[in-house]
């Protein structure tokens, strides 16, 4: 009997929950028109890059940035504007250098990796052992003791290659290396070093770990291939200071009928201490904030509350995302959206959640294609800042832009600057994010 | 009567002087095969880049490089191997930096321009005036006094844009600027500054002059466009030392029937003090030297003497080329060939001389196209090192490679490194140069 009832009711339920994108076409048109017209988000990205570069956790400029966002969100008229305190790591690089001593004197451009310990004041001078991958290191483990290991791993995917940045110091130290270097995690090089986070293990001695340019890595590779024993000096005066206070900053546009259900959407406001953090993640912050501002300004009938959140400390600790999930655990989160893959032409809106919601979200596609006929909706959403929320069962979304491989040209390097972001593409991202979160806010999800 | 005789003889003379490329096809095939097979030139370029970077005039490493070439030319068995002493300028950059002080603290990557005077020890701190071109400077001349002028001129052609590098300090100083900067002379930027030579005028106050990255120039432009008065500190501890001794280094393969007629072929052995001077002009040196070595080794019947010359001090004084023309003025130079436009796939062999010789040289084309069907022979040869010879009436040739715009990506920057040269293209250049100079050595030129 129960089974029969279920079979009878099921089609009716589905029908009542069914989402018809045509009903919202007029709203979507309004959003797209406003996004392509407004310069507010774009000007904010410029202001951010011009006034608040090097926003690494623990710096006064990161907190000045957050205060600026806080004030601007108030000016936008967003509701519930607040700063959530977050304790963050406080690591500073100070002076650092890589100098070839032998066979010739030569400076190699470098950036120490985030969280690395320092060398002694005068640096570490040692012979270099170059390996192309971890397998080669393991094969040559008997040659490692007392040397500086360079992982000269060419870029394949970020996910693969970043392992050397993250674990390289552990892998080298376990065989007795005195320091370790990586070839910068980037597919191309113009003498441009790329920094990023690394990790130690308590069971393995800690050694200094830094990224050098592709050019420098290839030079050291050539010495070794020619049978020349290269000697370098690595000097890093990096220092860990006591944890500092930082903040997630947020403001929202209240939902009409489901105001207690929250859609959080944002990027991370911190950045590395090189360049201006324009693509990583100034663009992600300013496009998502602008999307929420536009929905609020247009007075659309978003049923759920949409919250613009700029998370802190994504780069070297991810404490912002963690503290956010903890601090707002009492709320009902309908979805979390993160943009942290660069601000290029929007290409794929990704979703991770139940198949039933995926079926609804997939219907956004024709409306999103009004922005760019190439845009699709597909599975796979996620991100560092929203993963603590997603771990509690909250569906996640993210934007995969059409970067043509360029994101990792600039990522974590001095070349991540405002001039690398295209105004038209920026606005298309705003439109795509705004359309997505607005439509999501009116879905029937139960 | 005379006239009739002339008319009768003319065709006979022409015929006797006429060059038939088919007669030399077997030799050309031998050259190309040897060039594509030999690794000697390529290995020498690698050795140069690995062991003698930063070969600026006045450095011990430039003289070590020249001594290495001298010894290797002896080992090659070249005739008349010699070093010609040349007094060269001796300028060193020492510590230098550009720091934005206001509106935010920000380091801009830079390279002082060759020959610039220093700032005071603590640098020059002043407001920046940005201009896109000289016209804008002239229009805004009343705003210049006491400021640091930045010429933020986008790259058009090297010839046009390099004017700002060369004359920028004079143009800015005449209106009272305290220092001047240029946007690096390059079409693209990854935070990569490009240095190069600049010039003062005795009638205009000398002010420090430096190149900054494209990213840095655009940041300062944006401040100005937003109405923000940016303040920077420019510090340069550059110093002129007394002229130093350097050398042109050369060796030759003797001609058979016209041994006293010389074809000089080469590049410049000095380089800027950033990067490895791989494209500028390590490749030009090693391809031309290898071309001469191959002709000598193959025992071909070159009628004229072909001399491999590596000129010194092209970058900041051009004393090598001048001293060479002076020191060998008693010789009969049949032609001078320079390669200093990068070592990419050979595309055009350029010639500047009489139309009669041009007509003969044009006939090299089908033989050169055995290397690469795209190669042509055209008018326009020349170069900094051979121009003093050409000024005395010597025909000039040069190689224009198919760089697809890349030469100026690396030129005078830390990214001009061995990894930017392609082995196959290097060998094609050797082949094209060797075929050209060999065929030229057997032309009847009178």
């Amino acid at each position: 009997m129960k089974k029969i009832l279920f079979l009878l009711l099921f089609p009716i339920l589905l029908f009542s929950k069914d989402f018809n994108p045509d009903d919202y076409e007029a709203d979507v048109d309004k959003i797209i028109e406003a996004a392509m017209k407004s310069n507010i988000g774009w000007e904010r990205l410029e202001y951010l890059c011009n006034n608040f570069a090097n926003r690494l956790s623990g710096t006064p400029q990161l907190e000045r940035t957050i205060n600026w966002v806080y004030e601007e969100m108030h000016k936008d008229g967003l509701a519930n504007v607040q700063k959530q305190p977050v304790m963050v790591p406080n690591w500073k690089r100070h002076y650092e250098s890589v100098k070839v001593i032998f066979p010739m004197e030569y400076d190699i451009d470098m950036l120490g990796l985030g969280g690395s310990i320092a060398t002694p004041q005068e640096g570490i001078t040692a012979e270099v052992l170059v390996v192309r991958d971890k397998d080669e290191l393991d094969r040559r483990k008997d040659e490692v003791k007392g040397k500086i290991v360079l992982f000269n791993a060419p870029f394949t995917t970020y996910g693969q290659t970043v392992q050397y940045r993250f674990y390289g110091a552990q892998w080298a130290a376990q065989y007795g290396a005195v320091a370790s270097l990586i070839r910068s995690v980037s597919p191309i090089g113009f003498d441009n070093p790329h920094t990023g986070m690394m990790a130690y293990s308590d069971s393995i001695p800690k050694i200094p770990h830094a990224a050098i340019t592709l050019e420098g890595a290839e030079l050291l590779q050539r010495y070794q291939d020619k049978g020349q024993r290269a000697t370098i000096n690595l000097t890093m005066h990096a220092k860990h200071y006591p944890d500092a206070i930082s903040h997630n900053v947020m403001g929202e546009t209240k939902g009409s009928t489901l105001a207690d259900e929250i859609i959080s959407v944002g990027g991370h406001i911190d950045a590395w201490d090189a360049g201006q953090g324009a693509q990583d993640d100034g663009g992600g912050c300013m496009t998502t904030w602008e999307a929420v501002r536009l929905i609020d300004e247009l007075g659309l009938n978003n049923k759920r509350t949409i919250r613009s959140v700029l998370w802190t400390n994504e780069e070297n600790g991810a404490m912002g995302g963690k503290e956010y999930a903890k601090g707002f655990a009492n709320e009902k989160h309908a979805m979390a959206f993160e943009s942290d893959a660069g601000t290029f032409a929007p290409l794929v809106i990704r979703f991770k959640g139940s198949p039933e919601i995926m079926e609804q979200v997939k219907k956004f596609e024709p409306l999103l294609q009004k922005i760019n006929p190439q845009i699709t909706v597909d599975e796979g959403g996620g991100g560092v800042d929203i993963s603590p929320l997603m771990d509690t069962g909250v569906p996640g979304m993210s934007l995969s832009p059409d970067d043509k491989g360029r994101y990792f040209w600039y990522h974590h390097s001095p070349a991540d600057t405002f001039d690398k972001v295209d105004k038209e593409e920026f606005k298309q991202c705003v439109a795509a994010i705004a359309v997505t979160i607005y439509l999501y806010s009116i879905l029937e999800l139960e």
Side-chain angles (χ1 to χ4, degrees), chain A residues 115-126:
Chain A
S116 173
I117 62 164
T119 63
Q121 186 71 16
E122 71 282 8
I124 292 171
T125 299

Side-chain angles (χ1 to χ4, degrees), chain A residues 240-256:
Chain A
H240 282 89
Y241 296 87
D243 284 0
I245 191 151
S246 186
H247 302 82
N248 295 322
V249 56
M250 63 204 86
E252 53 199 41
T253 179
K254 284 288 179 197
S256 55

Side-chain angles (χ1 to χ4, degrees), chain A residues 281-292:
Chain A
D281 186 26
C285 289
M286 299 301 134
T287 50
T288 50
W289 172 13
E290 175 66 359
V292 176

Side-chain angles (χ1 to χ4, degrees), chain A residues 74-376:
Chain A
H74 271 297
K75 287 185 201 161
D76 285 348
L78 292 186
N80 201 17
V81 174
Q82 59 179 308
K83 298 199 298 177
Q84 179 193 17
V86 181
M87 292 307 290
V88 295
N90 189 1
W91 173 91
K92 288 183 170 58
R93 73 176 64 249
H94 301 301
Y95 177 79
E96 54 182 20
S97 66
V98 169
K99 289 173 187 294
V100 180
I101 306 293
F102 180 85
M104 70 174 168
E105 291 183 15
Y106 192 68
D107 291 344
I108 293 179
D109 278 337
M110 57 84 72
L111 280 170
L113 293 170
S116 173
I117 62 164
T119 63
Q121 186 71 16
E122 71 282 8
I124 292 171
T125 299
E127 197 181 313
V128 181
L129 175 72
V130 189
V131 295
R132 282 281 184 191
D133 53 30
K134 186 165 184 304
D135 282 352
E136 188 179 349
L137 178 77
D138 292 338
R139 280 199 308 276
R140 304 180 73 162
K141 63 184 177 194
D142 295 341
E143 299 170 57
V144 173
K145 198 166 161 29
K147 299 211 179 93
I148 296 173
V149 167
L150 162 63
F151 294 95
N152 185 23
F155 187 89
T156 52
T157 64
Y158 183 67
Q160 279 186 336
T161 317
V162 81
Q163 305 294 318
Y164 293 97
R165 192 184 83 202
F166 212 72
Y167 299 111
Q170 299 178 35
W171 294 342
Q174 67 178 334
Y175 296 137
V178 292
S180 50
L181 301 172
I182 59 162
R183 168 183 172 136
S184 285
V185 181
S186 176
I188 63 165
F190 279 76
D191 198 61
N192 191 32
H194 299 246
T195 189
M197 198 54 190
M198 52 84 63
Y200 290 118
S201 157
D202 284 341
S203 60
I204 299 171
K206 295 180 180 180
I207 58 174
H209 193 39
I212 62 174
T213 58
L214 279 64
E215 287 82 357
E218 285 298 298
L219 176 65
L220 295 172
Q221 180 81 55
R222 295 198 303 271
Y223 287 138
Q224 179 163 300
D225 293 350
K226 290 282 165 193
Q228 285 179 289
R229 294 170 174 271
T231 303
I232 66 168
N233 175 279
L234 169 70
T235 299
M236 294 168 69
H237 296 164
K239 198 169 165 186
H240 282 89
Y241 296 87
D243 284 0
I245 191 151
S246 186
H247 302 82
N248 295 322
V249 56
M250 63 204 86
E252 53 199 41
T253 179
K254 284 288 179 197
S256 55
T257 56
L258 299 165
D260 61 338
E261 294 188 21
I262 311 293
I263 294 170
S264 287
V265 52
H268 63 86
I269 192 63
D270 66 308
W272 278 104
D273 54 343
Q276 297 159 10
Q279 289 283 3
D280 183 17
D281 186 26
C285 289
M286 299 301 134
T287 50
T288 50
W289 172 13
E290 175 66 359
V292 176
R293 193 197 65 77
L294 274 176
I295 291 169
D296 191 65
E297 184 185 69
L298 290 170
L300 300 175
N301 183 29
N302 49 300
K303 293 184 184 163
R304 295 183 177 80
T305 292
I306 304 175
R307 180 182 295 157
S308 163
V309 191
L310 308 195
W311 288 282
T312 194
N313 184 232
E314 190 267 353
E315 293 294 7
N316 60 336
M319 298 310 294
K322 289 174 200 162
E323 198 66 29
Y324 182 82
K326 218 188 291 174
F328 296 89
N330 60 328
E331 289 182 340
K332 182 171 181 188
H333 258 89
M335 191 264 281
F337 188 116
E338 180 167 340
S339 175
D340 187 18
T343 303
F344 301 92
L347 190 64
V348 190
I349 299 287
R350 299 199 179 275
F351 177 79
K352 190 168 183 183
S354 71
E356 290 77 15
I357 307 180
M358 180 70 211
E359 204 180 308
Q360 307 284 323
V361 169
K362 187 73 185 165
K363 294 181 184 163
F364 299 0
E365 214 170 65
L367 292 177
L368 286 164
Q369 287 173 354
K370 286 170 169 257
I371 301 160
N372 168 359
Q374 268 72 53
I375 297 181
T376 57

